[in-house]
Amino acid sequence: ARENARLTACLSNVRQVSVAMNLYANDMKNWYPVMPPLTPPTGVNDGVFTQQWKYGGVAGLFSLKQMGETAQGGAGDQGYGGGFPNGAAYSDGNRNPLLASYIDGLAVLNCPSDQEDRHWSASQDPGARTYNNGRLKAIKKMGSRDEVIQYWIGYLYISGFRPDEPTIPFGVPIWGDDTNACDIGPKAWWGQGQATEYLASAKAGFYQKVDNHKDLGANFAYNDGHATLVRGNAASLFFQPTIPNPADPDGPDIQNPNSINIIDPTRSNRTQTID
């Protein structure tokens, strides 16, 4: 019963943030938040959406002075701008976090079921960022903008969408429960692909027992305004163009009716999942 109550509260959180994102989009020419590139793009595989994680992940939408544990008197890891007295700016000079003024309070960024997360240092080799070498963090509530940091936010953001997507004939996921790994979906956190290993027996794309709602799944809000609990392989559900035919598992795959690539097979190339 307690977990059901927490699941319901979490669903309310993701709805509230999706409302904030739609309010932002109304003010910003029909685009959900996109943080400016931190460094000049260097080629076709390095552009705006490949650099969304560089502002401390999803925390960069809400704070540019991410002191994390040190803001609460500890000596832990900081995020983007945490080492500067007044924080840091986006690359375009803007010092106002994109979504900070669109949410009322920071409680909506904490999933009530979230117990722990992992933090990977920017200095670590991306190829060596495994689940076990991420530093384990106990979740704490954030009372000020200085405390906002990636490892205490319980959610991920799939950036690169608009409220009206002409090549996707259904709602697309924009905000939902994160994982303790390097996250779910194309071009995920630290540029890795689908979810990296949590445990030796973990299955990529699935939520695990160490995540917010264990292996039950995750709450997600969509650009059409609805929010729901997503079960099973979230990465495949959202992004995989084809899936096994339920009526004929041994036969050829069929088109995935829930994939954002259903009409434009390259649509997910212009997204990045950050947590």
Side-chain angles (χ1 to χ4, degrees), residues 150-214:
Q150 162 261 330
Y151 48 78
W152 286 343
I153 296 178
Y155 301 101
L156 60 80
Y157 172 45
I158 305 177
S159 63
F161 289 126
R162 295 174 291 172
D164 180 18
E165 283 286 340
T167 64
I168 307 176
F170 45 76
V172 297
I174 55 173
W175 184 263
D177 284 293
D178 69 2
T179 76
N180 282 14
C182 295
D183 256 311
I184 285 180
K187 300 181 179 179
W189 180 251
W190 297 116
Q192 299 188 20
Q194 294 186 355
T196 56
E197 80 287 354
Y198 297 65
L199 307 168
S201 61
K203 294 186 292 184
F206 288 81
Y207 284 79
Q208 310 297 325
K209 292 186 180 297
V210 294
D211 292 325
N212 296 0
H213 308 293
K214 303 187 184 302

Side-chain angles (χ1 to χ4, degrees), residues 87-99:
Y90 295 120
S91 62
D92 61 2
N94 179 18
R95 289 185 171 275
N96 297 312
L98 298 184
L99 282 180

